[in-house]
Amino acid sequence: MDLKKQYITRQRRALLAFLSQRPEQLFSAEELMLALGQQGENVGLATVYRNLDKMVSQDMLARIIPSDGSGAKYEYLETRALPDSHYHMVCEECGRILHINCSRLAQLADHIESDHDFVLDSRRTILYGRCRQCAKKPQ
Amino acid sequence: MDLKKQYITRQRRALLAFLSQRPEQLFSAEELMLALGQQGENVGLATVYRNLDKMVSQDMLARIIPSDGSGAKYEYLETRALPDSHYHMVCEECGRILHINCSRLAQLADHIESDHDFVLDSRRTILYGRCRQCAKKPQ
DNA sequence: TTGCGTGCAAAGGTTTTGCATGGCA
DNA sequence: TGCCATGCAAAACCTTTGCACGCAA
């Protein structure tokens, strides 16, 4: 699937340039279309979706699906070579997205792989919960 | 929010009975409507959604959102009192949903809470990766 | 009797698809 | 020149909402 011919189009180049300049930031497909449009790079929404799909399957982007059902968001992945680089934590209350890069998580991944026969994917796994500010508030 | 009056209707009773008899099994809203219909309990899809939403906010059900964007699935939660009871692991390749109940995960949750100021929610957090069978296969 | 719950249909938002055209290699 | 990529609009999905009616308490 990676062996197929693939053209480098103006639209694909613009999309990748935009995202790669904003690592660790999340954008919806529509936000990307609008942002590119403001740069003078008009790209159809369907084209944005088609390119995002390809980039996700090529591990260039992460697709994050919020639990509130608001639609997928996409993030550029710089560290393509490092599998356990970081995980995402999403606050269920305020929607804030935090990054965590901790050896305890890597240890847990090792444990789950050796003792539970499951290979974790840090790119797609999202830890849901409550951030510091929201955890303080009463339910 | 839990203080509001709430009627026990035929539809709500049928839905809860169906799900509570099938713990650790996941169903979409449409699957639930069809399954109830086959039992002679006709329930409108909108009603299914409205009841599921309430039950999730009352912590009776977990709402699982697969990363493939196929729509939410719901699961009955038996252990309403135990916050860290178990996590879900979803295989990205075959879609299998596994349960993991391991003290290492509880330890990790404690660590993240004390050192990273984030309170994990085991109900909404899904660990993505590859199951034993799929991990063996070549990419 | 009160007012929450239901059913239906319509609307809403997000994502995919068909098809003719465009453009990279 | 071949054929993948694009744009537009329509369709496909999943979910929510408005409204009149039903029904539990």
Side-chain angles (χ1 to χ4, degrees):
Chain A
M1 39 196 68
D2 244 0
L3 309 172
K4 268 201 209 160
K5 282 171 205 164
Q6 183 170 301
Y7 295 163
I8 300 176
T9 61
R10 170 184 66 80
Q11 293 85 340
R12 181 182 175 83
R13 187 163 33 227
L15 199 46
L16 198 51
F18 182 90
L19 283 162
S20 65
Q21 286 162 22
R22 293 162 182 81
E24 307 213 350
Q25 280 187 60
L26 291 144
F27 302 92
S28 69
E30 193 183 13
E31 286 166 349
L32 289 167
M33 183 193 66
L34 293 174
L36 291 178
Q38 288 194 331
Q39 296 184 171
E41 294 279 3
N42 292 314
V43 182
L45 188 54
T47 298
V48 172
Y49 274 110
R50 283 187 276 232
N51 273 298
L52 291 174
D53 284 349
K54 274 183 206 151
M55 293 178 194
V56 167
S57 67
Q58 289 169 176
D59 282 337
M60 307 172 78
L61 304 182
R63 173 188 278 127
I64 307 286
I65 301 188
S67 60
D68 61 6
S70 59
K73 294 192 182 301
Y74 299 84
E75 172 191 6
Y76 183 72
L77 290 173
E78 288 186 292
T79 53
R80 235 197 283 189
L82 296 173
D84 282 321
S85 61
H86 72 268
Y87 286 78
H88 295 94
M89 302 192 297
V90 176
C91 179
E92 294 168 345
E93 189 154 327
C94 66
R96 201 185 312 250
I97 296 171
L98 307 163
H99 293 78
I100 178 172
N101 195 329
C102 173
S103 61
R104 302 274 291 245
L105 267 165
Q107 288 167 25
L108 180 79
D110 289 342
H111 167 73
I112 289 180
E113 180 166 352
S114 60
D115 289 29
H116 299 274
D117 284 316
F118 193 85
V119 183
L120 270 195
D121 181 348
S122 66
R123 301 228 170 91
R124 308 230 163 130
T125 297
I126 304 175
L127 308 177
Y128 287 101
R130 288 169 171 258
C131 70
R132 182 197 333 227
Q133 288 83 357
C134 294
K136 282 182 195 159
K137 295 181 203 161
Q139 286 274 31
Chain B
M1 38 199 71
D2 243 0
L3 309 172
K4 268 201 212 162
K5 282 172 205 163
Q6 184 170 301
Y7 294 166
I8 300 175
T9 62
R10 171 184 66 79
Q11 293 86 340
R12 181 181 174 83
R13 188 163 33 228
L15 198 47
L16 197 51
F18 182 91
L19 283 162
S20 66
Q21 285 161 23
R22 293 162 183 80
E24 307 213 350
Q25 281 187 60
L26 291 145
F27 302 92
S28 69
E30 192 181 14
E31 285 166 350
L32 289 166
M33 184 192 65
L34 294 174
L36 292 178
Q38 289 194 330
Q39 298 183 169
E41 294 279 3
N42 292 314
V43 182
L45 188 54
T47 298
V48 172
Y49 274 110
R50 283 187 277 231
N51 274 297
L52 291 174
D53 283 350
K54 273 182 207 152
M55 292 178 194
V56 167
S57 66
Q58 291 169 174
D59 283 336
M60 306 172 80
L61 304 182
R63 173 187 279 128
I64 306 286
I65 301 187
S67 61
D68 61 6
S70 59
K73 292 193 183 301
Y74 299 84
E75 172 192 5
Y76 183 72
L77 290 173
E78 288 187 291
T79 53
R80 233 197 284 186
L82 297 173
D84 283 321
S85 62
H86 72 269
Y87 286 77
H88 294 94
M89 302 192 298
V90 175
C91 180
E92 294 168 345
E93 189 153 329
C94 66
R96 202 184 312 251
I97 296 171
L98 307 163
H99 293 77
I100 178 171
N101 196 328
C102 174
S103 61
R104 302 274 290 244
L105 267 165
Q107 288 167 25
L108 180 80
D110 289 342
H111 167 72
I112 289 180
E113 181 167 349
S114 59
D115 289 28
H116 299 274
D117 284 316
F118 193 86
V119 183
L120 270 194
D121 182 348
S122 66
R123 301 230 171 90
R124 308 232 164 127
T125 297
I126 305 176
L127 308 176
Y128 287 100
R130 289 171 170 258
C131 71
R132 181 196 336 226
Q133 288 83 359
C134 294
K136 282 182 195 160
K137 296 180 201 160
Q139 286 273 30

